Amino acid sequence: MNKEFFKKRIRLKDFDYIGRYRYFVTICTNKTVGQCFSIANKEVIDELIEMLKFTAKQFDFTVWVYCFMPDHLHLLVEGNSDTSNFKKFISMFKQKSGFYYNKIFGKKLWQINYYEHVLRREEVTEKVARYILENPVRKGLVEDFRKYPFSGSFVFDINSLQT
């Protein structure tokens, strides 16, 4: 039997991922990379953040929040136009950032796939953003999400959020 037959479908079957939708995204690092996002790699993460900012602009997406955890990345993004293509946006970000990481470390950065949740209208953006920003607190990395150096927003000042 063909192994492809047994692969789990990750993307929604009848959804084109184009338009003004909000997405909660998780992109895991490659298993061989392990705990790659750390204080020791601040310059690398800063560069990845710049790539994210550029790619979001290129594909007309708003990055509500991002959070680089030790072995994965969380994003809350939203398409700004009827032609915003989520799959192309994520694919290009992973390609650019993966190429950059491989050039420096000689390792593949990301797993092949990623997970997304298309937010429903009733799901409040700020609540999901807060959930993402609290991830380092839940994992015991910091006591206050505002102290975590690898999360932020391109839209608002996370330091102004109430604890």
Side-chain angles (χ1 to χ4, degrees), residues 74-113:
H74 285 305
L75 300 170
L76 176 57
V77 300
E78 181 174 2
N80 295 323
S81 73
D82 294 337
T83 58
S84 296
N85 188 319
F86 173 74
K87 291 194 289 188
K88 285 186 177 181
F89 163 54
I90 294 297
S91 177
M92 184 56 69
F93 170 70
K94 286 180 64 181
Q95 181 181 346
K96 286 179 183 180
S97 57
F99 179 80
Y100 166 78
Y101 192 88
N102 188 309
K103 193 171 149 183
I104 293 172
F105 297 105
K107 294 181 181 180
K108 184 177 172 184
L109 176 57
W110 305 115
Q111 289 183 13
I112 291 172
N113 249 317

Side-chain angles (χ1 to χ4, degrees), residues 1-2 19 30 37 44 48 55 61 74-76 99 102 116 126 130 137 139-140 146 158:
M1 279 247 160
N2 187 345
N30 191 353
F37 299 135
V44 171
L48 296 180
T55 309
F61 272 82
H74 285 305
L75 300 170
L76 176 57
F99 179 80
N102 188 309
E116 90 286 326
E126 290 77 13
R130 179 62 182 252
V137 175
K139 296 295 182 181
R146 292 172 292 202
I158 67 169

Side-chain angles (χ1 to χ4, degrees), residues 1 5 27 30 32 37 44 58-59 87 124 126 153 160:
M1 279 247 160
F5 179 79
I27 306 172
N30 191 353
T32 61
F37 299 135
V44 171
Q58 181 182 14
F59 286 89
K87 291 194 289 188
V124 180
E126 290 77 13
S153 172
S160 66

